[in-house]
Amino acid sequence: MKRLLLLIAVSIVWSGSVLQAQEYEYVPLVREGVEWGYTGDLGDYRCQIKGDTIIDGTTYKKFYRYTTCGLQKNTPCYVVVRENDKKVYYREITGDDREERLIYDFSLEKGDMAILYSRSFLDYMQIDVRYVDTIQVGSTYRKKLEYPFHDVIEGIGGLKNDWLVAAFDIAPCVPDCNVWIYLSYVKNLVTGEYEYGNKGACGDTYAYDPYVKDCNFGFYHHDPEDRYIWDIDVFAHYYITGEKAVNGKIYKQFVESKSCDYASGTEIALIREEDKKVYLLDGEKEWLWYDFTLEKGDTITIESASPLNPSGEKLKIPVVNTDTFEIGGKLRKRIYLRGYDTWIEGLGTENRLPLHSFEPSCGMDCGDKLYYQRIGDKISYLDNYFIHDLLEPCTSSVLDTQIETLRIARTPDALIVTLPGTGYRLAELTEMTGRLAWCAYLDSEAEGVTIPTATLSPGAYIVTLSNDRGERIVQKVMIK
């Protein structure tokens, strides 16, 4: 019996070891067929390794950085890289300084110290490994090293700043805390699969997002004279729901409500969509509302009798431009109309209330702003920069899902912020104009942070907490 139990135990240990060996796979950072995508305040760009070159008898891979959709033949190469024994080296191939330098070492373990080169500081720096973990990437597991203010992952690199400098705490506070660059994705160009992130690569499949669909969305209203957009107390909620058959066509109800239940709202229109065109039914007659097939140079005509036309005169509105951009996690078409608010596919207008699309554009001075769209339980769009601390009843769940409310205590000379969890690395306090008033790095296990306010002028400020994944929690505060 003891022998049987021993055999079972050995079998379990052996099979577990085999499973672990199968799951863990070292993936080199220096490899072809992969695109790294970055995003931030300095714009979006991509990086890729492709092709070999020999310098001083050593073989390197060419490293490219570009903003185009895919690596072009004329993209210049300024840096080469190589990897040996899990150590990554780089060297410049232009300029006077072409010395090879070590920038990553994936052989390190917890408690180890390494001297790695910082391309930002142009000097070697001591890097201490605080923690080592194994994370799942696809069907494999990879090693993750935690530095004092940053993490790096085998085969992926750093999660903050450029591929070649991401191992260091060189930004965002160099030159200032308002500059952010983050790794947004790593895509295997051979399989088409994402190793990090799940979207963002140029050339990802674009899918039309209809305007008429079961959803609800909200606008807030603010006083245009209130340039800080502090006094927000009017919210409007809209629901596209249900179906009604009229003259053999199926329409959806367009409902306006001041509460959280469309059943208590008022049906203000019947709408339908066909071939990317949205129609509004007024009595027995249909009127064109949106036409998302429009391209640059086209003109949309709105009849004088249309209930959507406040001017009483026929409108012929030229399309001055169109583009496709990512918003609300989707690639969407954007249509720019001369003199009128821009249309966004799947969302409509941002600065004009529904059914007011053909009132002249006035931007934020209109006083109305689209701030969320919900499809079922999923938030498909959220722009609550100016209302992140308002738990308006219908949207408190939206805010809680996307941005947690911070607990902030006040003393005569400080704000004491309780962190909503671990992993936050940077705290900032900014004026409403965007000027940085204060910032500090945080320990990843910190439970709170104290922000000094004694020297600050009274007024509205924004507290921002950031983590390595590029996620931010923001909340507006008043300092008296």
Side-chain angles (χ1 to χ4, degrees):
M1 183 65 180
K2 291 182 178 179
R3 183 180 181 184
L4 177 61
L5 292 174
L6 178 61
L7 288 173
I8 293 174
V10 171
S11 176
I12 291 173
V13 171
W14 179 83
S15 61
S17 300
V18 170
L19 178 62
Q20 185 176 11
Q22 289 176 337
E23 291 177 338
Y24 175 77
E25 173 188 0
Y26 177 72
V27 178
L29 184 61
V30 178
R31 54 196 172 114
E32 295 192 28
V34 176
E35 183 178 73
W36 287 262
Y38 296 88
T39 188
D41 296 338
L42 302 181
D44 297 343
Y45 61 91
R46 304 164 184 86
C47 299
Q48 194 176 147
I49 296 170
K50 189 173 184 179
D52 298 333
T53 186
I54 298 176
I55 301 177
D56 297 334
T58 301
T59 300
Y60 292 90
K61 291 283 187 184
K62 298 177 182 178
F63 182 90
Y64 296 91
R65 172 176 167 169
Y66 50 95
T67 58
T68 55
C69 187
L71 181 61
Q72 307 297 312
K73 290 183 179 180
N74 60 350
T75 301
C77 172
Y78 300 106
V79 174
V80 294
V81 294
R82 71 179 182 93
E83 184 168 350
N84 184 46
D85 293 333
K86 301 184 181 181
K87 295 180 174 65
V88 178
Y89 303 84
Y90 99 100
R91 66 184 296 174
E92 309 280 351
I93 58 175
T94 61
D96 297 330
D97 188 358
R98 304 189 184 188
E99 179 183 344
E100 179 184 86
R101 294 183 169 94
L102 175 65
I103 56 173
Y104 284 96
D105 186 351
F106 291 105
S107 69
L108 298 173
E109 298 294 341
K110 180 179 179 181
D112 288 348
M113 181 273 290
I115 304 296
L116 304 179
Y117 189 77
S118 165
R119 293 182 74 241
S120 177
F121 290 127
L122 301 178
D123 199 358
Y124 283 93
M125 299 175 61
Q126 176 178 317
I127 298 297
D128 299 305
V129 181
R130 299 180 52 182
Y131 187 73
V132 174
D133 195 6
T134 303
I135 64 169
Q136 187 170 1
V137 177
S139 59
T140 65
Y141 285 81
R142 300 188 192 176
K143 183 177 176 181
K144 181 177 76 171
L145 289 76
E146 181 180 311
Y147 297 151
F149 295 102
H150 195 49
D151 297 342
V152 298
I153 302 172
E154 290 176 345
I156 291 177
L159 306 183
K160 183 167 60 179
N161 303 316
D162 190 282
W163 190 94
L164 292 177
V165 297
F168 302 96
D169 176 29
I170 55 106
C173 280
V174 178
D176 64 73
C177 290
N178 289 319
V179 178
W180 293 84
I181 300 174
Y182 286 103
L183 176 69
S184 58
Y185 70 88
V186 177
K187 185 176 183 179
N188 189 308
L189 300 178
V190 178
T191 65
E193 297 178 350
Y194 283 91
E195 299 181 7
Y196 179 85
N198 57 13
K199 62 182 184 299
C202 199
D204 277 358
T205 302
Y206 160 81
Y208 174 71
D209 183 23
Y211 180 81
V212 180
K213 55 183 177 288
D214 286 307
C215 67
N216 65 288
F217 50 95
F219 281 74
Y220 63 80
H221 181 80
H222 65 90
D223 180 359
E225 298 298 323
D226 175 18
R227 69 187 187 92
Y228 293 138
I229 314 185
W230 181 253
D231 297 320
I232 301 172
D233 56 5
V234 180
F235 296 84
H237 304 275
Y238 300 88
Y239 299 81
I240 300 177
T241 183
E243 291 184 349
K244 284 187 178 181
V246 180
N247 298 330
K249 296 178 179 178
I250 303 299
Y251 294 84
K252 282 193 169 293
Q253 297 170 271
F254 197 83
V255 177
E256 181 179 27
S257 176
K258 297 298 182 182
S259 73
C260 305
D261 182 9
Y262 74 87
S264 64
T266 303
E267 179 186 293
I268 58 175
L270 292 176
I271 60 175
R272 71 180 185 93
E273 184 168 351
E274 181 179 353
D275 296 331
K276 301 184 181 180
K277 297 179 181 179
V278 179
Y279 300 91
L280 177 142
L281 182 66
D282 181 36
E284 296 293 318
K285 185 174 176 58
E286 276 192 341
W287 300 92
L288 180 63
W289 183 3
Y290 289 112
D291 182 355
F292 291 105
T293 67
L294 294 173
E295 297 293 343
K296 181 179 179 180
D298 290 344
T299 298
I300 182 171
T301 300
I302 305 300
E303 299 297 334
S304 61
S306 170
L308 297 167
N309 185 349
S311 71
E313 300 178 356
K314 179 185 284 190
L315 300 176
K316 291 189 175 182
I317 306 171
V319 178
V320 296
N321 197 18
T322 63
D323 62 14
T324 303
F325 76 125
E326 183 179 329
I327 187 171
K330 288 179 63 69
L331 291 173
R332 303 174 188 260
K333 182 178 180 180
R334 187 165 45 182
I335 301 175
Y336 300 87
L337 304 176
R338 179 172 295 161
Y340 295 85
D341 201 36
T342 300
W343 296 355
I344 300 175
E345 190 179 274
L347 294 174
T349 53
E350 283 188 292
N351 300 303
R352 278 297 189 189
L353 293 173
L355 308 185
H356 293 259
S357 307
F358 298 109
E359 294 181 3
S361 175
C362 49
M364 288 295 289
D365 290 337
C366 296
D368 297 304
K369 188 75 173 71
L370 174 68
Y371 73 99
Y372 82 93
Q373 183 188 75
R374 186 204 305 265
I375 301 176
D377 294 330
K378 181 181 179 182
I379 306 306
S380 55
Y381 173 81
L382 181 67
D383 182 5
N384 64 341
Y385 183 79
F386 290 109
I387 63 167
H388 37 66
D389 58 339
L390 296 179
L391 293 181
E392 188 263 342
C394 297
T395 56
S396 60
S397 60
V398 175
L399 299 177
D400 291 342
T401 298
Q402 301 293 325
I403 301 179
E404 303 177 51
T405 305
L406 297 176
R407 292 173 53 194
I408 301 178
R410 291 173 171 81
T411 68
D413 57 359
L415 298 175
I416 303 174
V417 182
T418 301
L419 302 184
T422 58
Y424 294 96
R425 304 302 185 86
L426 183 70
E428 299 169 277
L429 184 71
T430 55
E431 297 176 358
M432 297 302 294
T433 60
R435 191 182 75 83
L436 181 70
W438 174 90
C439 75
Y441 287 115
L442 307 176
D443 185 285
S444 62
E445 301 299 322
E447 297 180 352
V449 59
T450 298
I451 302 175
T453 61
T455 60
L456 300 179
S457 301
Y461 291 79
I462 292 177
V463 175
T464 304
L465 302 178
S466 307
N467 62 23
D468 285 336
R469 297 183 299 278
E471 299 167 342
R472 299 189 189 186
I473 292 180
V474 292
Q475 183 160 318
K476 189 181 296 180
V477 295
M478 287 295 293
I479 295 177
K480 299 179 180 180

